[in-house]
Amino acid sequence: MLEDRRPLLVAVPPPGGNDDDALAFLMQNPGLDAHRDTVVDVACAPSTEDAYSGDIRLRQSVELKFGDFLDYFHAKRTDQAHWLRETEDDLQFYLAQCPLFTSSPQDTPAVLSELLPGLPPKPSILGNDVALTQINLWMTVAPSETSVHYDAYENVLHVLAGAKHVRLYPPTATPHLCPHPVYSKSANHTTLSLADSKALDACLHMDFTVLAHQALYIPEGWWHQVRSDAFTVAVNYWFDGMRPTLLRDPLVVPYYARVLLEDMMRLQRETCLANHVDTARQRVLAKRPSTLLESTEALEGWLVSVQGTAAHDDDAIQDVLLAAPSAIVYQLGLVMAKSHPRLWQTLLEYASEVVVERWTELWDDHKGVCEATEVATASDYFGQIFATCNDPSQLQQTFLAKKDAFAAKCARDVMRLMFGFEK
């Protein structure tokens, strides 16, 4: 059910079909006596703050006995007196990520382990073969929100009482979320304020409301921001995703890192080029007749007409060369090389990095070249368009250098947008 690694909301019937108050699972839990005096780490935030933050530099917490926190939760819910309520004008409290079970107790102790047997069973979507890494208890007293972050685990969030409203962003939205650098202790958190993250384009995210007796699968690495209603109780289940598999053999980790980065940079180059082409086309159509990009003859005539009035690296010329449809680019090379060899040589020499990237990518489609020009082979085509160049070998080196420069810019974008490195 979770194989496609996409968010999934499912119903989780209460035990025996009994829709009991989830707080009863805690107040009447057989393990409660063992943990009334257990000290737990309770997140807190000034009442003026808009969100609890897991960012290590912003996170605030206090240590409380679990019994005291549970009594406070009950007192607040039933509007009774409790000593912690005297602090509410200054602080709000949230029991966040309190371990009920961990697979590595030597590293992360299961603080409230005796409560687990008395809680509702895990959601069935987890199956029987999933090796859980950690089970955590979450309890919100007042309505609360968390900052945007991701976890390095697969996650199933099971709401026992109240409701959680979860906004999910796929990993591809990372550039828009302005993450902390990967070398930061808060690498899995955004640098955006809660207000700024909420203002992001709606097409970047999906929203789920998880009610009592429902569970939401949050795939590994998906950014999420959670808004909880007052008196919400939830348990979440973490289990390993792809990360341990990728990191299992230290000898090949550098290889995986390189090929993944190579692919990310390839995608960035494709995206960046497509954006440049779209922008250039919009500028051309806003200033010139649409017929300019509809025929080789029209484009040839325009280039000849402006050769004496504009610099050959003029933005307008570069925009037109970039915006031209592929078939016209193919045909233009033959026409210009035959009828206007000096102008063609100049256009090639002054072509911008992005024009070179687009044209060389188009030229790599040998079948498209031959179909658009009716030249027998791609070799014949290239022989004709470069026949009049003074030094084809030098021009090739210039093109390769410009392609590398374009690729380097895209690589820097990846390092900045995805990994938080400065320009």
Side-chain angles (χ1 to χ4, degrees):
M1 188 178 292
L2 307 181
E3 290 81 2
D4 64 355
R5 305 176 69 81
R6 294 294 184 270
L8 178 67
L9 181 67
V10 298
V12 183
N18 185 8
D19 194 11
D20 284 337
D21 181 355
L23 189 58
F25 284 111
L26 296 173
M27 301 300 290
Q28 302 169 16
N29 193 300
L32 180 57
D33 288 342
H35 287 307
R36 272 208 161 270
D37 292 330
T38 299
V39 175
V40 292
D41 190 54
V42 178
C44 61
S47 55
T48 55
E49 292 289 329
D50 58 359
Y52 292 94
S53 178
D55 183 335
I56 194 170
R57 293 171 295 186
L58 301 176
R59 190 177 190 275
Q60 302 179 61
S61 63
V62 295
E63 291 186 341
L64 295 172
K65 291 181 179 180
F66 180 66
D68 286 341
F69 178 80
L70 197 58
D71 291 342
Y72 164 63
F73 186 101
H74 180 66
K76 176 75 172 179
R77 192 176 186 221
T78 56
D79 198 23
Q80 298 179 30
H82 189 275
W83 62 271
L84 272 174
R85 297 195 66 183
E86 298 174 6
T87 69
E88 288 178 343
D89 289 340
D90 301 315
L91 292 174
Q92 299 180 41
F93 300 99
Y94 176 24
L95 184 66
Q97 197 178 310
C98 188
L100 300 169
F101 162 83
T102 70
S103 60
S104 302
Q106 67 278 12
D107 298 323
T108 306
V111 179
L112 301 177
S113 59
E114 298 299 323
L115 295 180
L116 189 57
L119 292 177
K122 66 182 182 182
S124 60
I125 59 169
L126 284 167
N128 297 319
D129 299 328
V130 172
L132 295 174
T133 302
Q134 193 163 320
I135 304 174
N136 303 301
L137 177 65
W138 307 74
M139 298 179 67
T140 56
V141 180
S144 63
E145 297 193 71
T146 66
S147 58
V148 180
H149 64 285
Y150 67 82
D151 298 314
Y153 299 100
E154 303 274 41
N155 186 8
V156 171
L157 176 63
H158 180 194
V159 173
L160 306 181
K164 286 183 177 285
H165 311 276
V166 184
R167 175 160 290 183
L168 292 173
Y169 304 83
T172 50
T174 299
H176 302 278
L177 291 167
C178 304
H180 284 285
V182 290
Y183 52 79
S184 165
K185 287 287 188 180
S186 301
N188 63 323
H189 286 264
T190 178
T191 60
L192 297 178
S193 68
L194 188 60
D196 287 342
S197 66
K198 287 183 176 181
L200 292 173
D201 195 321
C203 69
L204 294 173
H205 61 75
M206 54 185 71
D207 293 321
F208 294 88
T209 293
V210 192
L211 303 175
H213 313 305
Q214 291 183 328
L216 175 65
Y217 166 55
I218 303 174
E220 173 189 20
W222 279 60
W223 296 87
H224 49 282
Q225 187 270 327
V226 182
R227 177 168 56 87
S228 301
D229 290 354
F231 310 115
T232 294
V233 180
V235 174
N236 87 291
Y237 301 82
W238 278 338
F239 54 101
D240 285 335
M242 289 296 297
R243 181 173 178 167
T245 301
L246 292 173
L247 301 179
R248 183 169 296 142
D249 187 349
L251 287 176
V252 296
V253 166
Y255 163 72
Y256 289 145
R258 283 186 66 88
V259 296
L260 289 172
L261 194 54
E262 286 171 10
D263 202 54
M264 292 176 69
M265 291 178 177
R266 176 187 60 79
L267 291 173
Q268 179 65 19
R269 285 174 70 173
E270 293 174 356
T271 300
C272 186
L273 179 59
N275 290 340
H276 275 296
V277 172
D278 287 344
T279 301
R281 186 168 289 128
Q282 291 172 18
R283 285 198 293 253
V284 171
L285 295 178
K287 297 178 180 179
R288 292 173 176 80
S290 60
T291 53
L292 178 59
L293 300 178
E294 293 177 358
S295 72
T296 306
E297 293 77 9
L299 185 51
E300 174 196 6
W302 183 81
L303 288 170
V304 171
S305 71
V306 300
Q307 66 174 319
T309 60
H312 294 296
D313 59 350
D314 181 84
D315 288 343
I317 292 178
Q318 299 303 314
D319 277 350
V320 170
L321 297 179
L322 187 57
S326 57
I328 291 179
V329 170
Y330 297 142
Q331 296 162 8
L332 184 68
L334 294 176
V335 171
M336 296 298 290
K338 180 179 180 180
S339 303
H340 314 282
R342 292 184 62 184
L343 175 57
W344 177 238
Q345 166 97 19
T346 303
L347 290 174
L348 291 175
E349 289 178 351
Y350 283 92
S352 67
E353 293 169 0
V354 66
V355 168
V356 168
E357 177 71 12
R358 172 161 165 77
W359 281 17
T360 53
E361 290 298 304
L362 291 177
W363 288 340
D364 280 343
D365 180 7
H366 292 180
K367 182 179 179 181
V369 166
C370 295
E371 289 179 349
T373 61
E374 298 183 353
V375 175
T377 68
S379 295
D380 290 343
Y381 173 80
F382 295 126
Q384 293 181 49
I385 67 171
F386 294 124
T388 58
C389 293
N390 296 333
D391 189 346
S393 177
Q394 180 58 46
L395 182 63
Q396 182 183 39
Q397 293 304 313
T398 300
F399 269 36
L400 290 175
K402 289 181 177 180
K403 282 181 68 68
D404 283 348
F406 179 78
K409 288 180 180 178
C410 294
R412 288 193 292 271
D413 285 343
V414 169
M415 300 307 292
R416 176 174 56 86
L417 297 171
M418 298 296 293
F419 302 110
F421 286 86
E422 297 296 330
K423 291 184 179 180

